[in-house]
Amino acid sequence: MQGKYRALWLNDDNFLEVIDQTKLPFEYETKVLKTTDEVVEAIKDMTVRGAGVIGSVAAFGIYTASMEVDGGYEKLKEKASHIRESRPTAVNLMWAVDKMMELLKDSTDLVGDSKAYAIKLNDEEALESQKIARFGCDIIEDILKQKNKTKINILTHCNAGWLAVIDEGTALAPIYEAQKRGIDVHVWVDETRPRNQGASLTAWELTQSGINHTIIADNTGGHLMQNGMVDMVITGADRISANGDVANKIGTYLKALAAEDNGVPFYVAIPASTFDFDIRDGVKEIPIELRSEDEVKYMRGVDSDGVVREVLVTPKDSPAINYGFDVTPARLITGLITNKGVCEADFDKIREKFNNH
Amino acid sequence: MQGKYRALWLNDDNFLEVIDQTKLPFEYETKVLKTTDEVVEAIKDMTVRGAGVIGSVAAFGIYTASMEVDGGYEKLKEKASHIRESRPTAVNLMWAVDKMMELLKDSTDLVGDSKAYAIKLNDEEALESQKIARFGCDIIEDILKQKNKTKINILTHCNAGWLAVIDEGTALAPIYEAQKRGIDVHVWVDETRPRNQGASLTAWELTQSGINHTIIADNTGGHLMQNGMVDMVITGADRISANGDVANKIGTYLKALAAEDNGVPFYVAIPASTFDFDIRDGVKEIPIELRSEDEVKYMRGVDSDGVVREVLVTPKDSPAINYGFDVTPARLITGLITNKGVCEADFDKIREKFNNH
C-alpha cells in the first residue's frame, strides 16, 4: 500500500513503517515500528503526527501489539490502552484504538484480523480524504465564482496534508483537488510555531506537488486578511465537540478571529471520526496537551554546511510554556468540510448529519 | 550617560556607541557608529531597533553626520534624509530627524549644537518613559483592585523595553514600575517571529531585572486569554495615526482581536512622538515595511557547544514573505498609555490631548 502520498505503510516484512516527520524537510527517513513501545514513542515524539495519521498508526499499532501478546485479548487491551494514552488531544487516536478493539472482541486470530482491520480502516480513511477533497474544492469554485476571480489564495495553519491524514489530508485535500481541476491556487503557509509543521511539512508537501505557496510567520495572517490577500482559510482539526468547537494546533483560534473580523470564510476540514460527541462544550471541556518547553526554546534547521542542528533561541534560563492546541469556538467557523459533505458548526446540524456515525 | 539600562550612549571619544541587539541574548556586544553610513546600516540591519531607540540613534546620527559634512547645513540635510529613509514604518525616526534639522536650522556650530540637542532629546525621552511607567502602573493597580487579585499577568508582544525606548521602554515601563512598587507581576512574552525580539530581547531584559516571565509561541496568546490567564495586554507602537490606529510589530493585531474576544484590556504604551497626525486612517494609509524573506527562513541560536549559528528552518526553495508590521484598528484598543496620561484611541480625544505636541 505504499504510495507516493502515504505517511505509513506495511513493509515487505509486514511491519509498520512510517516517514520520520521530525526529520522533514531536511532529510527523508523512515522508521520501522516493531513493538508497542516503539509505536507509542513514535506518537509521543511526533515521528508521526497529524490527526488521521496518528489514528492510522494506532490501528496498525494494535496489529503490532497483537504480535507481542501471544493471543490474549485481555493482554492486548493493556497494550491498547498504552497506545490510546500516548497523546491526549487526538480523538482519532482514541477512536481508532476503540474501533480496533471492538472489532477484535470475538476474534480467534488477533494477528490476522488486526492486520486486515487496520488495512481496511486505513483504506476507508483514504476514501474519506478524497470526499473531503471534492466537497472542499466545490467551495473553492463557489468562492471564485462569487468573487469573479480566477486565482484563489488559501491560508492554512499547521499541516493537514497527506503527512497528517491518509491519503491527501484534510485541509490540503481541497487544494490538491483544485490543482487537479486546473484551478490557479496559492497557499499562505503559517509557519506554525513551536514545531513549525507549516514551514517544514506543509511547505515540503506543496513543493513535492508543485503547488504555489508562500511561508509566513504565524503573526502575519491578520495583516494579509485585513488587506484582502486571503480568500479563505482551511485548517484541519484534532477534535471537534458536539457543538462544533474545534480543537486544532495552537494559533488556529487567532486566525479564526482575524477571518471573522475581515469577512474571510473560515473552514475546518475533517473526517467524521474527528467528532467527540461526549463533549458538549469544546472551549470548556476539550483537554489541551501541554508539551515540553524545549519545543519553544530550541529550533531545528540546517546550517550552511548542510548539517541538521538544534539551536537555543531564547535566554537559557527563561522559562517557556507550550500548549499544543487551542479551541476555536463554533461561532467563528463558516463550515465543516467533511466526508459527508459540508456542515454548519452547530449542535443540531452536526447531530442531524452525523447521527449514525 | 551610559547606564545599566541604556541601549546607546556617547563613548569617551564622543562617538555614538550602541548595544548590538542582533547578538542578544547570546552575546553582549557593542558597536561604535562613526559615520552616517554606519548609522543607516545599524538601523537597517536592526543592530538597533525599537521605535524610541531608532529615534535616539537618528538624533545622534545627525550629530555623527555633522562631523562628516564640514559645516554646511545643506550638506547635512542630504545626510539627514539618508537617515530618515532607513526604515519606513518608524515615525519616531522621521520625527527625530526633522526635529533635529529644525533645531539646527540657524546653528553656527552644527557639531556642538547637534550633540547638545541629541543629548537633550534623549533625556526628554527618558523622562517620557518614566511618566509612561507611572501612568501604566496606575492602570495595573486599578485592574488588581477591580479583580481583587494580588498578582498581575501581562502579555506583551515584541520588545518595547529599554532596548527599544530610552530608558525603561514603553510597554515594559509600567512593568518595571510595578516591580518598584512591590507588585507581583508575571509577563507572558510573545516570541515575536520572525525576528524573535520577544524571546530574545524582552526575555533577556526581564531576566536582567529578575522579573518573572514565561516565553510563549506567538500562537499561544489566544488560548491564554480564553482561559483567564491574561489580565491585560501592553504593547508598544511604531506609529499611531490621528484616529488611533496602531502600527506595531506584525501579530499585534491578532492579540488585540483575542483580547477583545475575551474582555481583556488591551493597552498601547507610547511617547507622544509616536503620533503621525498626517495620517487619518491608519489601517489604510500607514505604509508597512516589507523585509527580507530570509528573516522567516533562517533562525539564529546557539548550539550545544555554545556557538551562535544560523539555520534554515524551511525547505530551501519555498518562498516566504515578511511584513514587519500590522495595524491594529483603534476600536480594539482600550487605551493609549502616554507621557501625558492615558488617552482613548479616538480621533477627537487624541487631538484634544496632543494638540500642541
Side-chain angles (χ1 to χ4, degrees):
Chain A
M1 75 189 224
Q2 177 177 12
K4 187 179 171 197
Y5 291 131
R6 289 229 166 158
L8 66 146
W9 55 89
L10 284 185
N11 68 14
D12 293 342
D13 301 324
N14 275 309
F15 283 116
L16 175 59
E17 189 164 348
V18 301
I19 295 179
D20 184 350
Q21 300 196 27
T22 66
K23 297 279 166 60
L24 293 175
F26 315 114
E27 295 161 88
Y28 178 92
E29 276 180 27
T30 67
K31 262 191 187 172
V32 181
L33 308 176
K34 293 191 176 179
T35 66
T36 310
D37 286 348
E38 285 174 359
V39 168
V40 168
E41 200 46 39
I43 295 173
K44 273 195 179 157
D45 73 8
M46 296 177 73
T47 299
V48 291
R49 32 64 57 200
V53 164
I54 291 178
S56 297
V57 167
F60 282 106
I62 300 295
Y63 158 66
T64 304
S66 75
M67 295 189 282
E68 288 182 303
V69 296
D70 205 16
Y73 184 80
E74 286 307 314
K75 278 187 192 161
L76 184 61
K77 249 171 124 175
E78 270 174 45
K79 297 266 181 194
S81 76
H82 196 184
I83 296 171
R84 198 181 189 279
E85 286 154 14
S86 52
R87 285 195 70 191
T89 310
V91 72
N92 298 58
L93 166 65
M94 299 157 206
W95 177 85
V97 170
D98 293 347
K99 181 111 180 177
M100 287 292 290
M101 293 310 289
E102 176 65 28
L103 287 168
L104 292 170
K105 218 162 48 183
D106 303 316
S107 165
T108 52
D109 172 15
L110 284 178
V111 174
D113 285 348
S114 62
K115 183 181 165 189
Y117 291 144
I119 290 173
K120 187 164 170 280
L121 229 80
N122 220 26
D123 288 343
E124 282 169 5
E125 191 139 312
L127 203 67
E128 288 180 356
S129 168
Q130 289 155 24
K131 286 181 185 163
I132 291 168
R134 289 195 291 272
F135 289 125
C137 194
D138 291 347
I139 296 174
I140 292 175
E141 289 188 336
D142 283 349
I143 290 173
L144 286 176
K145 208 174 291 171
Q146 268 170 41
K147 291 191 163 187
N148 202 20
K149 287 177 59 173
T150 54
K151 180 181 175 181
I152 190 115
N153 283 292
I154 300 175
L155 185 143
T156 190
H157 190 71
C158 200
N159 174 264
W162 63 264
L163 287 168
V165 175
I166 305 293
D167 70 344
E168 291 201 320
T170 53
L172 295 191
I175 291 164
Y176 289 126
E177 177 72 15
Q179 187 187 39
K180 282 182 205 153
R181 294 190 196 172
I183 295 168
D184 187 4
V185 57
H186 169 260
V187 185
W188 297 109
V189 178
D190 267 1
E191 178 181 38
T192 319
R193 286 281 290 144
R195 288 189 63 95
N196 299 22
Q197 293 95 333
S200 53
L201 307 181
T202 299
W204 184 80
E205 267 196 40
L206 296 174
T207 302
Q208 300 299 306
S209 294
I211 289 174
N212 195 6
H213 65 282
T214 308
I215 298 170
I216 50 174
D218 299 303
N219 286 322
T220 310
H223 175 72
L224 298 179
M225 291 190 225
Q226 205 179 41
N227 287 277
M229 297 162 82
V230 181
D231 298 307
M232 75 188 295
V233 180
I234 316 181
T235 74
D238 288 72
R239 194 189 293 211
I240 303 193
S241 56
N243 67 331
D245 293 343
V246 168
N248 190 45
K249 187 58 51 196
I250 190 88
T252 302
Y253 168 46
L254 294 169
K255 295 304 140 61
L257 286 168
E260 195 210 25
D261 201 45
N262 296 287
V264 174
F266 186 95
Y267 285 94
V268 176
I270 43 147
S273 54
T274 314
F275 286 107
D276 184 343
F277 292 102
D278 292 339
I279 293 188
R280 289 222 160 195
D281 182 333
V283 173
K284 287 200 184 127
E285 296 170 37
I286 296 178
I288 299 298
E289 181 179 6
L290 195 57
R291 298 182 56 85
S292 162
E293 67 164 9
D294 285 352
E295 294 184 351
V296 178
K297 298 188 67 170
Y298 292 85
M299 197 116 164
R300 257 183 72 261
V302 279
D303 69 13
S304 50
D305 297 326
V307 179
V308 176
R309 293 186 185 273
E310 196 162 72
V311 292
L312 174 69
V313 296
T314 67
K316 200 172 178 313
D317 297 326
S318 288
I321 201 161
N322 182 12
Y323 290 100
F325 301 86
D326 63 20
V327 181
T328 299
R331 65 183 149 88
L332 301 177
I333 296 162
T334 310
L336 306 170
I337 303 169
T338 82
N339 49 308
K340 295 191 173 183
V342 179
C343 179
E344 264 180 61
D346 169 85
F347 185 85
D348 291 328
K349 296 277 168 52
I350 290 171
R351 198 174 45 177
E352 206 175 289
K353 202 169 189 97
F354 300 96
N355 214 0
N356 304 313
H357 160 66
Chain B
M1 75 187 223
Q2 176 177 13
K4 187 180 170 196
Y5 292 131
R6 289 230 165 155
L8 66 145
W9 56 89
L10 285 185
N11 68 13
D12 293 342
D13 302 324
N14 275 308
F15 284 116
L16 175 59
E17 188 164 348
V18 300
I19 296 179
D20 183 350
Q21 301 197 26
T22 65
K23 297 278 166 61
L24 293 174
F26 315 114
E27 294 161 271
Y28 178 93
E29 275 179 27
T30 67
K31 262 190 188 174
V32 181
L33 309 176
K34 293 190 176 179
T35 66
T36 309
D37 286 348
E38 285 174 359
V39 168
V40 168
E41 199 46 40
I43 295 173
K44 272 195 181 158
D45 72 9
M46 295 177 74
T47 299
V48 292
R49 31 64 57 200
V53 164
I54 292 176
S56 297
V57 167
F60 282 106
I62 300 295
Y63 158 66
T64 304
S66 75
M67 295 188 282
E68 287 181 305
V69 295
D70 204 15
Y73 184 79
E74 285 307 314
K75 279 188 192 158
L76 185 61
K77 250 172 123 175
E78 271 174 44
K79 297 266 181 194
S81 76
H82 196 185
I83 295 171
R84 199 180 189 279
E85 285 154 15
S86 53
R87 286 194 70 189
T89 310
V91 71
N92 298 57
L93 166 64
M94 299 158 206
W95 177 86
V97 170
D98 293 348
K99 181 111 182 176
M100 287 292 290
M101 293 310 290
E102 176 64 27
L103 287 167
L104 292 170
K105 218 162 46 181
D106 304 316
S107 166
T108 53
D109 172 16
L110 284 179
V111 174
D113 286 347
S114 62
K115 183 181 166 190
Y117 291 144
I119 290 174
K120 186 163 168 279
L121 229 81
N122 219 26
D123 288 343
E124 283 170 5
E125 192 140 310
L127 203 67
E128 288 180 355
S129 167
Q130 289 154 24
K131 286 181 185 162
I132 290 168
R134 289 195 292 271
F135 290 124
C137 193
D138 292 347
I139 296 174
I140 292 175
E141 289 188 337
D142 283 349
I143 289 174
L144 286 176
K145 209 175 289 171
Q146 268 171 40
K147 290 192 162 184
N148 201 20
K149 287 178 58 173
T150 55
K151 179 180 175 181
I152 190 114
N153 283 292
I154 300 174
L155 185 143
T156 191
H157 190 70
C158 199
N159 174 264
W162 63 264
L163 288 167
V165 175
I166 305 292
D167 69 341
E168 290 200 321
T170 53
L172 295 191
I175 291 164
Y176 289 125
E177 177 72 15
Q179 187 188 37
K180 283 182 204 152
R181 294 190 195 173
I183 295 168
D184 187 3
V185 57
H186 169 260
V187 185
W188 297 109
V189 178
D190 267 0
E191 178 180 39
T192 320
R193 285 283 290 146
R195 287 188 64 95
N196 299 23
Q197 294 96 331
S200 53
L201 307 181
T202 299
W204 183 79
E205 268 197 40
L206 295 174
T207 302
Q208 300 299 306
S209 293
I211 290 174
N212 194 7
H213 65 282
T214 308
I215 298 170
I216 50 174
D218 299 303
N219 286 321
T220 310
H223 174 73
L224 298 179
M225 292 190 225
Q226 204 179 41
N227 287 276
M229 297 162 82
V230 181
D231 297 306
M232 75 187 296
V233 179
I234 316 181
T235 74
D238 288 72
R239 194 190 293 212
I240 304 193
S241 56
N243 67 330
D245 293 342
V246 168
N248 190 44
K249 187 59 50 197
I250 190 88
T252 302
Y253 167 47
L254 293 170
K255 294 305 140 62
L257 286 168
E260 194 210 25
D261 202 45
N262 296 287
V264 174
F266 186 95
Y267 285 94
V268 176
I270 43 147
S273 54
T274 314
F275 286 106
D276 184 343
F277 293 102
D278 292 339
I279 292 188
R280 289 220 161 198
D281 182 333
V283 173
K284 287 200 184 127
E285 296 170 37
I286 296 178
I288 299 298
E289 180 179 6
L290 195 57
R291 298 183 56 84
S292 162
E293 67 164 8
D294 286 352
E295 295 185 350
V296 178
K297 297 187 67 171
Y298 292 85
M299 197 116 164
R300 257 183 73 260
V302 279
D303 70 12
S304 49
D305 297 325
V307 179
V308 177
R309 292 185 184 274
E310 196 162 74
V311 292
L312 173 70
V313 296
T314 67
K316 201 171 177 312
D317 296 327
S318 288
I321 201 161
N322 182 13
Y323 290 100
F325 301 86
D326 63 20
V327 181
T328 299
R331 66 183 148 87
L332 301 177
I333 296 162
T334 311
L336 307 170
I337 304 168
T338 83
N339 49 308
K340 295 191 173 184
V342 178
C343 179
E344 263 180 60
D346 169 84
F347 186 84
D348 291 328
K349 296 276 168 54
I350 290 170
R351 198 174 45 176
E352 206 174 289
K353 202 170 190 97
F354 300 96
N355 215 0
N356 304 313
H357 159 66

